[in-house]
Amino acid sequence: MTPVIEQLQSLNRILVELARRQPFHGANFEEILQDILWTSARSLNVARVSLWFYSGDRQHIECAHLFQQSPPGFTAGMRLTASDYPRYFAALQEERTITAHDAWHDPRTREFRKTYLEPLGITSLLDVPIWVEGSMIGILCHEHIGSPRQWTVAEEQFAASLADLVSLVVESRDRHRALRALEESEARLATFFQATSEAVIIHEQGTILDVNAATERLFGYTASELVGQSVLLLTHPEARSLILERIQQPIDIPFEALARTKSGEALIVEVQGKSILYRGRWARVVGIRDITQRKTAEQNVQLAAQRQQLLAEIALRIRQTLELPEILNTTVVEVRRYLLSDRVFIVSFDPRTEEIQVVAAAMAPQWHTNLEVLLQNVHYRSRLLTTPATLSCEREMLDPHLRQVYAAHHIQSCLLIPIQHQPQGPCFLLGVHQCDRPREWQPYERAFLEQLATQVAIALQQAELYQQLAALNANLEQQVAERTEQLQQKMRELEELNHLKDVFLHAVSHDLRTPVLGTLMVINHLLQNNTSDTIPVPRSTLTCIQHSQQRQLHLIETLLHIHVDQQPSLSLAIAPTSLATLVKAIVAELQPLLQKNKATVKLQMAPTLPLVRADPIQLRRVYENLISNALKHNRPGLTITLTAEVQEDMAYCTVQDNGVGIGSDQRSRLFDLYYRGRESHHRTGIGLGLYLCRQIITAHGGEIGVEDNHPQGATFWFRIPIARPT
């Protein structure tokens, strides 16, 4: 999930939490506004958030609340005149939000630079007008201090939603003020009626004894018509059981009941009685106040609040998703449920191609119809696209063709609401059908759908932005994957080159050390045993040195041959070779090294051992590496036993020592490149000897391994083919 999408979802969750946290009915108006400003400042991480309202003459805006994070707190009282900042006030009337990333240079806000922005260090502004019932009443202003800030689309939408929330709060406050005023008026009226003209009835056990003129006016009866009659005459049938209960068990607490006038009109009245001594006998005096209008007003206010709450809930459900089909389907389902209508659908119309299609629909099963066929009807389509308001369904007012279309699809009433979207793209229209009866669409129903259409338009814009971001993200991921694969290929090539370099260096450091060491020991022996200027050198010694240098040169050429190619390989000069003769010569040449380490070599090879198919020089390297490794990894005084025997068509050779042996955790890695063992950090060489031994034996078509005789020592073995007689 991309950061933009995560920000959209996070800000939407904050809006939901804010809506749940603040009950907009019965709450403190100022506290709600401060909570909105505090939440906005923390959510968008801005230094200052302020709320401005227009003055009565609409020539000024005054700061009602200003929240600043450092030092935290609320202030108010600033005032800005429209004539001083004409471009800014003109922009408020024309734009949904004033998003000034660089407020000092933005043509809409640079008027504030000298007097307001620079003194306070403000560099970026995000201002949203607040509209109530088609009139802009104020501005929600976000002020960023520091380096200029690039506001995101999610932040603009969040700020716009907060402005809508402030609008709802103001509307809720106004409704409650009107309700309180109505209640106060009713209270004053009740007092006045108690003193003068309130309907008053005096009865005894339900029989009317007297009434006043206000009662006559209220119920339409004359006093003579009422006196002597039962109070049930003025009672609605639904309230008779309640009135009988109050006659039998009088209480002084006011209660509400349904009354009925002489004309049969039902009234909602508030009844309050008190026992008095009337003409020498106890009776009940009852004041009756008509509260029908008040109850109707309360119901209207309650319904309006419910509609606003429902609108907020539907808008949240619509805007909680970024998938276009889900947004449209949620819209038609919620509208049909709210209006209790038979069909609700949304069509998409492209003005450029004049293509129109149904994109979402919700219909009652009994009124299901083919909307695609309906939309392709020329008469209905023309009426649909050219009538921006409620479509009249009076049959006598429709042309004959349209009447036939309505009858064929059972359309009794139709309502159309445009959903504003991008001017360059397709337009969306919301249609509602009533099929079971003619219906008079109420103004509040149209207002509700228009407000909902605005929320749907915002959700559509968010969905389109999400699709664009998803496409960009997919393209970016593909580019990153391709570039990563290229880099990985380069890394593999570099690792291979580095591997070849290491093998070459390891071979030089390991294989060339043994012949150089042997030659150096012969020369040191000659220098130590003769102090004269001229040192006689036996011919056998020079021959030994010559052979050692020839082997060293051959090793260098072999290593160069191996590491020039990208795929390392050994070039073998195979010839029938006597193992006994070769091993005796190797032991003789290593004699100085054996003497230095006080080591003893035992040869256990039968003279009748057949010849082997081998490269003598490479096989010599195997024996030299195995013997020198045994000397390096054990203390002086070592005994090394060399054996060879025939196993089928292979010669099985061993190099066994009586040293410290090899642990089981090391045997599986001894023939790996670079491996030197746990106790080899103080020794020369970097672990190439045994690796080269395996390479040589494998090139001969044989195999090599090691057996542990711990604590008696270790036994290295290998097999090479026996030479077949020609």
Side-chain angles (χ1 to χ4, degrees):
M1 186 175 289
T2 62
V4 174
I5 302 304
E6 293 178 352
Q7 186 183 33
L8 280 171
Q9 295 178 344
S10 175
L11 294 177
N12 279 336
R13 286 194 294 270
I14 293 173
L15 285 173
V16 173
E17 180 60 25
L18 182 60
R20 291 175 177 172
R21 185 168 68 241
Q22 289 293 358
F24 298 144
H25 50 83
N28 185 283
F29 177 71
E30 304 298 327
E31 291 180 358
I32 294 176
L33 295 182
Q34 291 182 359
D35 187 20
I36 293 175
L37 296 184
W38 181 88
T39 301
S40 179
R42 296 300 175 88
S43 302
L44 296 182
N45 192 24
V46 293
R48 295 158 54 94
V49 180
S50 54
L51 186 60
W52 304 71
F53 290 107
Y54 274 96
S55 59
D57 57 3
R58 303 190 62 81
Q59 298 302 312
H60 307 85
I61 55 173
E62 297 179 357
C63 180
H65 295 281
L66 167 64
F67 173 76
Q68 58 184 9
Q69 296 209 55
S70 179
F74 287 89
T75 58
M78 290 176 289
R79 185 174 184 179
L80 298 176
T81 303
S83 59
D84 295 336
Y85 312 100
R87 291 188 177 180
Y88 175 78
F89 279 84
L92 289 174
Q93 297 290 338
E94 299 173 355
E95 300 183 22
R96 172 59 171 159
T97 63
I98 297 181
T99 307
H101 308 293
D102 185 356
W104 289 15
H105 301 91
D106 194 296
R108 300 167 298 180
T109 58
R110 62 189 179 190
E111 301 167 324
F112 296 102
R113 179 171 180 177
K114 297 299 183 181
T115 59
Y116 188 81
L117 300 179
E118 286 188 355
L120 296 176
I122 299 170
T123 57
S124 301
L125 289 175
L126 177 55
D127 294 355
V128 186
I130 301 169
W131 295 81
V132 173
E133 297 181 354
S135 176
M136 185 171 60
I137 64 167
I139 303 100
L140 179 62
C141 180
H142 300 79
E143 302 170 349
H144 174 73
I145 294 177
S147 301
R149 172 173 177 172
Q150 190 74 20
W151 304 100
T152 66
V153 175
E155 291 169 343
E156 292 184 52
Q157 297 293 341
F158 180 73
S161 298
L162 287 179
D164 293 340
L165 197 58
V166 173
S167 175
L168 290 176
V169 173
V170 172
E171 290 180 348
S172 177
R173 180 201 61 180
D174 295 340
R175 287 195 303 270
H176 282 281
R177 284 180 176 177
L179 182 59
R180 286 196 300 269
L182 180 60
E183 292 174 346
E184 292 171 359
S185 175
E186 289 290 343
R188 289 192 300 270
L189 183 60
T191 302
F192 178 74
F193 280 164
Q194 289 289 344
T196 57
S197 59
E198 185 181 68
V200 178
I201 296 176
I202 301 175
H203 71 87
E204 179 183 19
Q205 294 297 315
T207 300
I208 299 175
L209 303 178
D210 198 3
V211 298
N212 65 353
T215 304
E216 295 177 321
R217 292 192 298 269
L218 179 61
F219 291 98
Y221 290 99
T222 64
S224 60
E225 291 175 325
L226 293 176
V227 173
Q229 299 293 327
S230 171
V231 294
L232 296 179
L233 178 64
L234 305 177
T235 304
H236 194 277
E238 295 181 6
R240 286 186 177 181
S241 59
L242 174 62
I243 298 303
L244 289 174
E245 181 182 351
R246 291 293 179 265
I247 292 173
Q248 297 171 2
Q249 298 177 356
I251 59 174
D252 295 343
I253 301 175
F255 63 93
E256 295 179 3
L258 285 176
R260 183 174 61 180
T261 66
K262 184 177 181 179
S263 62
E265 179 185 359
L267 300 177
I268 304 175
V269 295
E270 184 180 74
V271 182
Q272 184 173 13
K274 190 174 182 62
S275 298
I276 62 171
L277 191 61
Y278 178 74
R279 297 180 181 179
R281 53 183 177 176
W282 287 99
R284 294 284 293 179
V285 59
V286 178
I288 302 175
R289 184 153 45 108
D290 183 7
I291 59 172
T292 304
Q293 293 183 354
R294 190 191 78 183
K295 299 299 291 186
T296 302
E298 290 178 354
Q299 291 175 358
N300 291 336
V301 170
Q302 184 177 5
L303 290 175
Q306 292 175 353
R307 287 194 295 269
Q308 291 297 330
Q309 182 67 23
L310 179 61
L311 175 63
E313 293 175 358
I314 295 176
L316 285 177
R317 284 196 291 272
I318 291 174
R319 297 174 64 180
Q320 281 174 349
T321 178
L322 296 175
E323 297 294 336
L324 181 59
E326 187 172 349
I327 292 172
L328 299 176
N329 288 328
T330 302
T331 301
V332 295
V333 170
E334 295 294 343
V335 170
R336 181 171 177 267
R337 185 179 67 172
Y338 171 72
L339 293 180
L340 299 177
S341 56
D342 298 318
R343 297 191 196 116
V344 177
F345 58 92
I346 295 178
V347 298
S348 172
F349 175 70
D350 193 336
R352 297 167 297 181
T353 61
E354 295 187 355
E355 179 182 359
I356 186 170
Q357 61 179 346
V358 179
V359 294
M363 294 182 280
Q366 66 272 29
W367 301 112
H368 194 278
T369 190
N370 192 331
L371 292 175
E372 297 291 348
V373 173
L374 177 62
L375 292 177
Q376 296 307 319
N377 183 276
V378 177
H379 304 285
Y380 183 80
R381 177 171 176 161
S382 175
R383 188 63 175 257
L384 189 72
L385 299 178
T386 57
T387 306
T390 304
L391 297 182
S392 174
C393 293
E394 296 293 338
R395 295 298 175 88
E396 59 274 10
M397 297 176 61
L398 299 175
D399 63 77
H401 298 289
L402 199 56
R403 280 203 303 269
Q404 293 177 1
V405 173
Y406 276 29
H409 294 274
H410 307 285
I411 302 174
Q412 297 285 340
S413 297
C414 182
L415 180 64
L416 175 66
I417 299 294
I419 300 175
Q420 298 298 329
H421 195 38
Q422 294 182 353
Q424 297 81 5
C427 301
F428 292 89
L429 305 173
L430 174 65
V432 184
H433 287 170
Q434 195 69 36
C435 301
D436 59 347
R437 68 188 188 281
R439 178 169 178 172
E440 184 72 23
W441 303 105
Q442 301 300 318
Y444 70 84
E445 293 174 332
R446 284 191 51 82
F448 175 84
L449 293 182
E450 289 172 351
Q451 290 177 313
L452 183 60
T454 301
Q455 300 299 323
V456 174
I458 295 174
L460 293 176
Q461 293 174 1
Q462 290 179 341
E464 184 174 353
L465 177 61
Y466 169 72
Q467 293 174 352
Q468 294 175 358
L469 291 176
L472 292 175
N473 185 52
N475 186 34
L476 180 60
E477 288 179 353
Q478 181 180 0
Q479 294 179 4
V480 170
E482 293 175 354
R483 184 57 179 163
T484 301
E485 178 61 27
Q486 294 174 1
L487 293 176
Q488 290 177 346
Q489 179 63 27
K490 295 296 182 182
M491 287 294 296
R492 288 192 291 268
E493 294 175 359
L494 291 175
E495 289 176 356
E496 182 64 24
L497 292 175
N498 191 51
H499 172 75
L500 295 176
K501 178 203 68 173
D502 289 341
V503 172
F504 180 79
L505 293 177
H506 298 339
V508 171
S509 66
H510 187 279
D511 287 333
L512 299 185
R513 185 175 182 273
T514 299
V516 171
L517 182 61
T519 303
L520 181 61
M521 293 180 66
V522 171
I523 295 174
N524 288 340
H525 178 73
L526 292 174
L527 291 175
Q528 290 176 359
N529 294 338
N530 199 322
T531 59
S532 61
D533 294 337
T534 303
I535 301 175
V537 180
R539 186 177 185 86
S540 60
T541 301
L542 293 176
T543 301
C544 181
I545 294 175
Q546 181 187 28
H547 290 169
S548 176
Q549 297 304 310
Q550 287 176 346
R551 288 197 309 276
Q552 184 174 348
L553 179 61
H554 181 74
L555 290 175
I556 293 174
E557 292 175 350
T558 301
L559 289 172
L560 290 174
H561 173 71
I562 292 174
H563 298 292
V564 165
D565 297 333
Q566 287 202 348
Q567 298 296 332
S569 62
L570 289 175
S571 178
L572 301 180
I574 299 295
T577 303
S578 172
L579 276 176
T581 302
L582 179 64
V583 172
K584 286 180 182 179
I586 294 171
V587 172
E589 292 178 5
L590 293 178
Q591 198 62 37
L593 183 61
L594 296 171
Q595 292 176 356
K596 179 180 178 182
N597 289 274
K598 301 177 182 180
T600 302
V601 176
K602 295 181 180 181
L603 295 177
Q604 297 180 359
M605 297 184 182
T608 59
L609 189 70
L611 302 179
V612 296
R613 294 181 66 256
D615 183 336
I617 295 177
Q618 297 294 349
L619 192 57
R620 177 186 294 273
R621 296 175 68 186
V622 174
Y623 274 105
E624 287 177 350
N625 283 330
L626 295 177
I627 294 173
S628 61
N629 278 348
L631 295 176
K632 285 192 297 182
H633 292 279
N634 292 285
R635 296 179 180 178
L638 187 70
T639 298
I640 301 175
T641 303
L642 307 178
T643 68
E645 61 182 22
V646 177
Q647 291 184 352
E648 296 180 354
D649 58 347
M650 304 290 285
Y652 179 77
C653 308
T654 65
V655 179
Q656 181 178 356
D657 63 66
N658 61 347
V660 296
I662 301 172
S664 59
D665 59 335
Q666 301 184 63
R667 289 199 298 273
S668 62
R669 301 182 56 196
L670 280 178
F671 296 97
D672 293 345
L673 187 61
Y674 313 125
Y675 187 73
R676 301 173 58 205
R678 292 180 308 217
E679 306 296 333
S680 58
H681 57 276
H682 60 283
R683 301 186 180 97
T684 59
I686 51 178
L688 184 66
L690 295 180
Y691 170 77
L692 292 177
C693 289
R694 184 178 66 180
Q695 298 294 94
I696 293 171
I697 296 300
T698 302
H700 281 80
E703 56 181 345
I704 188 171
V706 61
E707 295 178 357
D708 182 34
N709 302 325
H710 185 78
Q712 287 77 25
T715 299
F716 285 87
W717 58 267
F718 60 87
R719 293 185 180 92
I720 56 176
I722 294 176
R724 298 181 181 273
T726 58

